Amino acid sequence: MLKIVKYLLLVLILLNIVYAISGAYFYPLASIDTIGIWLLKAKFFYLSHGFPLELLKNTTFLYSHPHYPLLLPFVISVFYFLLGGINEQLIVFIYPLAFVAVLFILYKLLKEVKMGQILALTFVYIYSMLSPLLAQAGRKHAGEADIFILLANLLVVFIALKVFKNKTKNLGVFLIVFIIMIASQIKVEGIFLIITLIFLPLPKKTRLIAGVISLIPFLIWNFAASYLRIPSDLYFVIPSLQEIFLRIIAISHYVILEMIKANNWYLFWPIFLISIYLIKIKNDFLKRFVIPSFLVISALYFCVYLFSSLNPAEYVPSSIDRVLIQISPYFFLWFALLIKEALSKRFSQ
Amino acid sequence: MKNLRKRTILFLFLLLVLIMFTKSIVNAGKLVAEIENPLQKETMKICPPKKDSYFKTIPDSDYMKDLYNYLSLGIKC
């Protein structure tokens, strides 16, 4: 019986992978951000044969967020150079591959927290069904950058677990610093990963040095963007106290609306929140790393919404699903451990 | 009491899996339809975002018009 369940789960996961590939094939360029930001800048690199400063400074292309870090468009442009031309329809097939990598690492992570094979596969299946992830994997949002930030978060959680188990401490810190540096050059919010260093079981000095090194590419890019006068379409404001209060209500409202959106999350959020309330769990890694990292990173996203020049009523609904999927490795692992606790030993081993 | 809590969570968890399983069957149907009828490729574009205050801050240009025209091709938004 368990064997049948195992194969059924594998088939269902495979179906989602094929579904993502089919999306990348049938709707390769269906997102305004894909063609208006990420692939557009890759074209800038390819057409300029170097750093595309003039194109970045051209206000016609302000929608492309010219001040964003450029690593992803640059990497895509390298593919264009290797292919000998711009081939956007081919590039989006990277996204189902990233999806497979995410699912594989999640499975390894769940096995690492002593989860049985069936239960681990069930959670991988549940995760692969979340619509914002399927969208990033190829169903109409292929070509964006959020899945790579998700991948970075997932890798950091996986490596942090190894560090907590006293395995590969030095290598672990080195890898986490490297991932933070990369993530900060994919999207601005990639730098939020630096928070995870605070909660690693390492000497203060090591964490401080790791933090400073992780910040270097982020600081260099921001200094360069400012020095080169690359225009920015987003900036921070300091609202009045009354405005802050109204913004907090608006942000909370749209976050809750997203969480109860059955199309995207099914019943995930209500079940997760009920589980937190009903199930008591003792897990050192969860309490000392996963939950604190999740809460502080979430607070940083909240502050971005709070102090952004954009109106939260427009900004939050258009981005919150992608933000939640970026930080999903933290809350999904939390969810998985709660459910594992609720199940009998027979199921969890 | 503790068992009741665990059973409640287990029931909700199974419900979640069941709903997702049903959606998987729907997705499988969609997948078969896509493969059998590639014409959908042309008709299933998405609607671009509405021209809200953010878009008003961006200069109206051929580039932005192209983005809108491309994304709204073939559908009423």
Side-chain angles (χ1 to χ4, degrees), chain A residues 206-262:
Chain A
T206 312
R207 284 180 286 155
L208 189 68
I209 294 168
V212 171
I213 297 171
S214 309
L215 268 175
I216 292 171
F218 175 80
L219 294 175
I220 290 175
W221 168 248
N222 280 289
F223 174 76
S226 163
Y227 180 74
L228 296 169
R229 296 182 190 281
I230 294 172
S232 171
D233 59 326
L234 299 169
Y235 50 93
F236 287 112
V237 293
I238 301 174
S240 64
L241 277 178
Q242 190 190 1
E243 175 69 13
I244 286 177
F245 178 70
L246 292 173
R247 280 182 171 225
I248 289 172
I249 292 174
I251 297 163
S252 309
H253 169 74
Y254 288 111
V255 171
I256 292 167
L257 272 188
E258 175 62 29
M259 286 176 167
I260 56 172
K261 201 186 262 182

Side-chain angles (χ1 to χ4, degrees), chain A residues 102-175:
Chain A
V102 165
L103 299 184
F104 180 73
I105 298 164
L106 178 68
Y107 177 75
K108 285 286 185 194
L109 176 67
L110 294 171
K111 292 293 284 177
E112 202 68 35
V113 292
K114 304 261 183 293
M115 208 166 272
Q117 195 181 35
I118 300 284
L119 200 55
L121 285 173
T122 308
F123 283 114
V124 172
Y125 167 61
I126 291 173
Y127 194 62
S128 71
M129 280 299 292
L130 299 176
S131 299
L133 177 60
L134 271 173
Q136 290 286 322
R139 303 298 303 188
K140 299 191 177 180
H141 282 259
E144 295 184 7
D146 305 279
I147 199 167
F148 298 110
I149 300 296
L150 154 64
L151 196 56
N153 275 297
L154 189 57
L155 279 168
V156 165
V157 174
F158 183 75
I159 297 164
L161 180 59
K162 296 264 187 194
V163 173
F164 264 77
K165 286 182 170 180
N166 275 325
K167 292 179 194 169
T168 63
K169 266 199 170 170
N170 290 333
L171 179 66
V173 177
F174 173 78
L175 288 173

